[in-house]
Amino acid sequence: FFATWARPVGAVILPVFRINILIEATMSTGRKPSLIESMGLGGTAAAFAVNFTHPIETVKTRMQVSGDGVAHTVTSTARNEGVAAFYKGIAFAYGRELSYTSVKLGAYAPVRDALGAGKDAPFYMKFLAGAITGGVGSAIGNPFDVMKTLAQTNSGKAVPLTELVGDMYRSQGLGGFYRGVEVNIMRACVLNATKMGCYDITKGKVTEATGWGRKDIRTSFCAAFVAGFFMTCTVAPWDRLRTTLMNQPTDKKLYNGFADCLVKTVKQDGVLSLWRGFIPIWGRVSPQAT
């Protein structure tokens, strides 16, 4: 299992780690990166990373919708649609990372500093900064999430980007692009809270056990792998509900909001179905734990 996920997770963590080094190098010259610089670096790293994580995201999304396992989802997708199917919706994924993630990652430090949530600040202040940037980023990136989900779950011929967007707008107007936005915002808050609660602690434990430095890429990789597990435990139910809400047909509405979706999902598939796609979610969120 470890060997299976090590390569894509490592490939993503490395560029993100290098972006962090660039930010630290900027700060070492005597100035902090501006908000625009910070967001640009965060968005660029995330957009690069999506080239490696998008196939994992596609498998996760299809598992959540179908209820099939990892092996069946991968083999059936490759056999019936070809390898290119794992990259369906990647154009929307780029848009999502350049909007949501640039705000979530790039704006976090400036917002944290503006709130006075420095190194010695209580946890809830850092959580507030993460919730603000994650929530705002989710709201901005929600249209990309909706279209990405619809593209990934389409098992037929790939629908052109303009046609998919046009169908949604004609059927439901701008509101259609904000399906599941409340769950998306809650997901971001839970993800950030778990990350802040687990990553630094795990990093300290890895450093104590191995003697590696805290900035060593090996330390970051191991800490992200472990923290990613706990992030998946807390975020998977929100992720499943988000996928269900966003995957409604463009011409109809199946759920009346988050609560209705939760009740119907649990009644139909059981409580444990909220954790569908656990393994690919783990592989997807671990790089974000750095």
Side-chain angles (χ1 to χ4, degrees):
F1 170 80
F2 184 84
T4 301
W5 292 107
R7 183 171 296 176
V9 172
V12 176
I13 288 177
L14 186 56
V16 175
F17 183 71
R18 285 174 176 167
I19 291 293
N20 288 338
I21 290 177
L22 288 175
I23 293 175
E24 290 175 1
T26 301
M27 295 178 66
S28 68
T29 63
R31 72 174 184 88
K32 293 182 179 180
S34 68
L35 176 62
I36 299 301
E37 289 173 333
S38 185
M39 290 176 62
L41 289 169
T44 300
F48 178 81
V50 84
N51 291 297
F52 300 93
T53 61
H54 192 74
I56 301 174
E57 176 82 8
T58 299
V59 171
K60 179 270 295 182
T61 301
R62 293 192 170 200
M63 286 177 64
Q64 290 175 325
V65 172
S66 67
D68 295 328
V70 175
H72 182 271
T73 301
V74 172
T75 55
S76 63
T77 299
R79 181 176 60 251
N80 299 329
E81 303 171 59
V83 176
F86 292 103
Y87 284 90
K88 282 183 175 179
I90 193 167
F92 297 114
Y94 288 136
R96 191 248 188 192
E97 301 306 331
L98 290 172
S99 55
Y100 161 67
T101 310
S102 66
V103 174
K104 185 190 76 170
L105 292 181
Y108 173 73
V111 170
R112 178 198 62 202
D113 294 342
L115 293 174
K119 183 177 180 180
D120 299 323
F123 170 80
Y124 69 84
M125 290 296 291
K126 295 180 180 180
F127 171 75
L128 177 60
I132 291 173
T133 55
V136 172
S138 293
I140 295 172
N142 203 80
F144 295 108
D145 267 325
V146 171
M147 304 315 296
K148 174 174 66 71
T149 299
L150 290 172
Q152 288 175 319
T153 55
N154 172 31
S155 58
K157 184 179 180 181
V159 179
L161 182 151
T162 53
E163 182 179 337
L164 193 61
V165 173
D167 287 345
M168 173 66 81
Y169 182 74
R170 282 190 295 272
S171 299
Q172 299 191 25
L174 289 176
F177 296 101
Y178 283 89
R179 292 171 167 179
V181 66
E182 68 278 12
V183 179
N184 215 5
I185 291 173
M186 288 186 279
R187 175 189 178 276
C189 292
V190 170
L191 190 69
N192 283 339
T194 310
K195 169 186 172 179
M196 288 185 290
C198 296
Y199 181 68
D200 282 342
I201 294 175
T202 304
K203 207 169 186 180
K205 296 294 183 182
V206 171
T207 300
E208 292 176 7
T210 62
W212 299 334
R214 288 184 65 88
K215 295 182 180 181
D216 192 309
I217 184 64
R218 296 171 296 178
T219 304
S220 296
F221 177 87
C222 293
F225 188 80
V226 175
F229 172 81
F230 293 103
M231 291 164 68
T232 304
C233 290
T234 59
V235 83
W238 305 99
D239 201 278
R240 168 72 199 286
L241 293 173
R242 180 185 69 164
T243 296
T244 303
L245 285 166
M246 292 182 175
N247 192 48
Q248 298 172 87
T250 57
D251 59 350
K252 65 175 64 174
K253 189 176 182 180
L254 303 179
Y255 306 99
N256 294 315
F258 154 68
D260 184 51
C261 180
L262 173 61
V263 171
K264 289 180 178 177
T265 299
V266 172
K267 185 179 294 185
Q268 179 178 331
D269 299 324
V271 175
L272 291 180
S273 71
L274 296 175
W275 280 268
R276 276 183 186 173
F278 187 94
I279 292 177
I281 294 175
W282 185 3
R284 177 70 178 86
V285 303
S286 289
Q288 298 178 345
T290 58

